[in-house]
Amino acid sequence: QLQLVEFGGGLVQPGGSLKLSCVASGPSGFTLDYHNIGWFRQAPGKGREGVACISDSDGSTFYADSVRGRFTISRDNAKNTAYLQINNLKPEDSAVYYCAALWTFRQCVLSHSRYDIWGQGTQVTVSS
């Protein structure tokens, strides 16, 4: 089965930036092609929130209103990696960030229930 691992979290001051990576691996012959990728986050006491996703079929992207203009999702299928560039971090961005994947020909969505492959998460903490 496909596996995902996130990298790049850490402690950042408000206004700072981070770039998260999501590296996919799998059995022989695995490819990230045909998989949509989503980034989600979960803060203590809150539900899992979709922040960004990117489709494989046409490269379309979608963002939550709270992050649009600050977050940018991208992918490099040749490297089996997806990215989330996060700029102008705010304290309310603090959360565990997860990447997720779904094999589909449809455009991506920001609903966590629609994804069936998940990474372990990486902690992002925004604090002075």
Side-chain angles (χ1 to χ4, degrees), residues 34-69:
Y34 311 114
H35 289 83
N36 292 348
I37 301 295
W39 283 97
F40 300 81
R41 66 187 182 187
Q42 188 163 14
K46 296 185 177 180
R48 191 162 297 185
E49 175 190 17
V51 298
C53 69
I54 183 167
S55 303
D56 182 75
S57 58
D58 60 1
S60 59
T61 58
F62 296 90
Y63 297 92
D65 289 343
S66 60
V67 308
R68 188 175 295 111

Side-chain angles (χ1 to χ4, degrees), residues 95-117:
V96 177
Y97 282 71
Y98 301 89
C99 66
L102 176 69
W103 190 92
T104 180
F105 291 102
R106 306 176 72 169
Q107 288 187 326
C108 71
V109 297
L110 292 175
S111 175
H112 70 269
S113 64
R114 303 291 295 273
Y115 293 80
D116 57 10
I117 305 169

Side-chain angles (χ1 to χ4, degrees), residues 1-127:
Q1 178 168 282
L2 187 153
Q3 295 173 287
L4 304 175
V5 180
E6 300 95 337
F7 300 94
L11 176 62
V12 184
Q13 295 183 11
S17 298
L18 283 174
K19 188 170 186 177
L20 308 182
S21 299
C22 173
V23 181
S25 62
S28 178
F30 158 78
T31 176
L32 199 57
D33 293 347
Y34 311 114
H35 289 83
N36 292 348
I37 301 295
W39 283 97
F40 300 81
R41 66 187 182 187
Q42 188 163 14
K46 296 185 177 180
R48 191 162 297 185
E49 175 190 17
V51 298
C53 69
I54 183 167
S55 303
D56 182 75
S57 58
D58 60 1
S60 59
T61 58
F62 296 90
Y63 297 92
D65 289 343
S66 60
V67 308
R68 188 175 295 111
R70 299 188 298 120
F71 289 24
T72 303
I73 188 171
S74 61
R75 64 191 296 164
D76 186 343
N77 284 7
K79 298 175 65 175
N80 291 326
T81 303
Y83 306 94
L84 185 68
Q85 177 68 47
I86 310 175
N87 297 326
N88 192 23
L89 278 159
K90 304 175 180 180
E92 53 264 41
D93 294 321
S94 296
V96 177
Y97 282 71
Y98 301 89
C99 66
L102 176 69
W103 190 92
T104 180
F105 291 102
R106 306 176 72 169
Q107 288 187 326
C108 71
V109 297
L110 292 175
S111 175
H112 70 269
S113 64
R114 303 291 295 273
Y115 293 80
D116 57 10
I117 305 169
W118 291 84
Q120 84 292 340
T122 185
Q123 177 71 52
V124 173
T125 303
V126 184
S127 176

